[in-house]
Amino acid sequence: MTAIEEMERELAEPLRHFRGAVKAMAERELAQTRRVALPAEKKVGWRPVWVYAWAPAGLLVVLMAVGLMMQSHTPMQQAENHGPNVAQTEAPPAGQQRLSDTALMTEIDEDLNQNAPTPLAPLEVSTANTQANTTQAEGSDGVQP
Amino acid sequence: MDCSTVAWKAQVAELDDFDEVVRLYRPRIFRYLVATLRDRDLAESLTQDCFLKAWNARHQFRGDSSLMTWLTRIAVNLVRDHARSQRMRFWQKARAEDLDPADIGDWLAEERSGPEQSLLAREQAGAVWDAVKVLSPHQRTVFLLRFVEEMELPQIADATGMNENTVKSHLYRALRSVREKVGTRV
């Protein structure tokens, strides 16, 4: 170490000028270069490719399930479930973009009930008018009771 | 929690803000690379590679060494790998240096007051620059890390993967070579 220290002392001034020159040169050269560009997607974290591949398949499965559920429910069952499901049709929390499957179905059910022909109305309606309404319905759209 | 643990946690946390890491250390890594390679475009390319490698390996940083030492180690390895490639050998033969060695002294011209002092400083800087050019790769690396980046010998050993005695050996030979060339010119 002594020999190294001795040579360092002997070359102190040239080394100082050399260091200053290299630093100044590097600063000038650096100013002309591009910035380091890190991959944008890597800045937000690593996402595996398989997520993007399976997402459409998952969506398809959900849509199929919704379709099957819509086919399996009858109008009477939907009317009976109307009460308990009302709470689920209330407005979702602020910021939530998608309705749940149940809420969506309930919304569809309500719409169907509103447009349901008179013969299919709930049994609470006076039965005295049932036959007359049935006859009227047959004449208008040919629907059999 | 002792001081070493606090320092380690601070260094590891520093990597979370990688934009800041690039801002702080890019000039120093680029400076080492451009002084080693004497090619601005190549130095810029390897600087990019250095920080990309650091980004990909940031979770592996354990804080055993300083962040600068860790980044320098990546840069040293990139220079070594590049020197070994066939492509590098081809370009070494095919083209002259991108940075003209005669220009290195010009960077000092604005900083010197008297003309004689300025001339002497430029001569000395140019002589060292030319002397470093003919050093072996290991000697050049150790010399630049010691006298441009002002790293201590243990840090140089850590950055280069050499043991400290090997670093001293390279440093001694580099200084002897530079002293011989600088002594004959100025």
Side-chain angles (χ1 to χ4, degrees), chain B residues 32-33 36-37 46 74-84 141:
Chain B
Y32 162 72
L33 288 172
T36 299
L37 300 166
L46 292 191
I74 297 174
V76 167
N77 289 337
L78 283 170
V79 170
R80 183 184 59 212
D81 294 344
H82 195 81
R84 288 174 181 168
T141 296

Side-chain angles (χ1 to χ4, degrees), chain A residues 1 3-8 10-11 13-39 42-46, chain B residues 18-19 22 26-27 30-31 34-35 40 44 48 51-52 55-56 99 104 107-108 110 112 121 124-125 128-129 143-144 146-148 150 153 168 171-172 175-176 179 182:
Chain A
M1 190 65 184
I4 291 176
E5 287 175 343
E6 187 179 327
M7 284 192 283
E8 284 184 358
E10 191 178 325
L11 293 169
E13 196 169 316
L15 290 175
R16 183 169 58 84
H17 295 318
F18 172 71
R19 180 166 49 246
V22 170
K23 286 185 176 181
M25 177 270 293
E27 282 176 15
R28 292 284 183 92
E29 296 293 329
L30 185 64
Q32 300 178 28
T33 61
R34 300 184 303 277
R35 291 196 70 246
V36 174
L38 292 171
K42 289 185 186 260
K43 280 190 172 182
V44 296
W46 175 76
Chain B
F18 207 79
D19 286 340
V22 173
R26 179 175 174 240
F30 176 80
R31 183 172 64 211
V34 78
R40 186 188 73 194
E44 179 192 355
Q48 299 252 12
F51 283 98
L52 278 172
W55 169 258
N56 291 331
L99 296 172
I104 191 67
W107 298 108
L108 284 176
E110 299 170 6
R112 309 304 303 177
Q124 288 177 341
V128 176
W129 179 259
F143 185 90
L144 292 173
R146 178 80 183 102
F147 296 114
V148 175
E150 299 180 273
L153 297 189
K168 288 179 187 177
L171 183 59
Y172 173 79
L175 277 169
R176 197 176 58 183
R179 185 179 64 173
V182 171

Side-chain angles (χ1 to χ4, degrees), chain A residues 2-143:
Chain A
T2 306
I4 291 176
E5 287 175 343
E6 187 179 327
M7 284 192 283
E8 284 184 358
R9 270 196 299 268
E10 191 178 325
L11 293 169
E13 196 169 316
L15 290 175
R16 183 169 58 84
H17 295 318
F18 172 71
R19 180 166 49 246
V22 170
K23 286 185 176 181
M25 177 270 293
E27 282 176 15
R28 292 284 183 92
E29 296 293 329
L30 185 64
Q32 300 178 28
T33 61
R34 300 184 303 277
R35 291 196 70 246
V36 174
L38 292 171
E41 60 276 13
K42 289 185 186 260
K43 280 190 172 182
V44 296
W46 175 76
R47 291 205 179 108
V49 175
W50 61 265
V51 172
Y52 300 106
W54 282 102
L59 181 61
L60 184 62
V61 169
V62 169
L63 290 174
M64 289 173 62
V66 170
L68 287 172
M69 288 171 70
M70 288 175 65
Q71 289 178 6
S72 65
H73 278 77
T74 65
M76 289 303 294
Q77 286 178 343
Q78 290 168 354
E80 288 175 1
N81 291 335
H82 180 77
N85 287 340
V86 167
Q88 297 181 17
T89 62
E90 291 179 354
Q96 189 171 346
Q97 299 296 319
R98 289 170 44 195
L99 294 173
S100 64
D101 291 340
T102 308
L104 177 63
M105 287 186 57
T106 305
E107 192 177 323
I108 295 170
D109 295 339
E110 288 176 18
D111 191 47
L112 287 173
N113 288 337
Q114 288 173 3
N115 297 324
T118 306
L120 297 178
L123 291 175
E124 289 82 342
V125 177
S126 170
T127 57
N129 297 326
T130 300
Q131 185 137 15
N133 291 337
T134 301
T135 304
Q136 185 180 13
E138 284 180 346
S140 63
D141 59 12
V143 174

Side-chain angles (χ1 to χ4, degrees), chain B residues 1-168:
Chain B
M1 189 179 296
D2 59 5
C3 293
S4 60
T5 306
V6 171
W8 172 79
K9 284 182 177 292
Q11 289 195 104
V12 173
E14 191 178 355
L15 271 177
D16 290 340
D17 187 0
F18 207 79
D19 286 340
E20 186 66 10
V21 169
V22 173
R23 189 186 71 80
L24 286 174
Y25 295 106
R26 179 175 174 240
R28 296 179 67 177
I29 296 298
F30 176 80
R31 183 172 64 211
Y32 162 72
L33 288 172
V34 78
T36 299
L37 300 166
R38 305 190 174 206
D39 184 321
R40 186 188 73 194
D41 292 337
L42 185 55
E44 179 192 355
S45 176
L46 292 191
T47 300
Q48 299 252 12
D49 290 347
C50 178
F51 283 98
L52 278 172
K53 279 183 173 288
W55 169 258
N56 291 331
R58 65 194 185 284
H59 298 301
Q60 300 169 18
F61 177 68
R62 297 184 300 274
D64 296 338
S65 59
S66 70
L67 204 46
M68 181 60 199
T69 304
W70 182 62
L71 291 169
T72 303
R73 188 186 312 143
I74 297 174
V76 167
N77 289 337
L78 283 170
V79 170
R80 183 184 59 212
D81 294 344
H82 195 81
R84 288 174 181 168
S85 70
Q86 294 289 344
R87 184 174 53 188
M88 175 64 176
R89 290 195 202 107
F90 170 77
W91 284 109
Q92 280 178 330
K93 294 176 186 175
R95 58 182 286 184
E97 286 178 357
D98 184 59
L99 296 172
D100 186 348
D103 294 338
I104 191 67
D106 293 341
W107 298 108
L108 284 176
E110 299 170 6
E111 299 176 17
R112 309 304 303 177
S113 51
E116 288 182 6
Q117 293 281 348
S118 175
L119 182 61
L120 181 62
R122 291 172 60 182
E123 285 285 329
Q124 288 177 341
V128 176
W129 179 259
D130 289 345
V132 169
K133 179 183 174 182
V134 298
L135 294 177
S136 72
H138 287 312
Q139 291 172 7
R140 187 184 309 127
T141 296
V142 170
F143 185 90
L144 292 173
L145 292 178
R146 178 80 183 102
F147 296 114
V148 175
E149 301 307 320
E150 299 180 273
M151 295 173 76
E152 298 299 329
L153 297 189
Q155 290 177 302
I156 297 174
D158 197 1
T160 58
M162 302 179 204
N163 66 54
E164 213 168 308
N165 286 332
T166 306
V167 171
K168 288 179 187 177

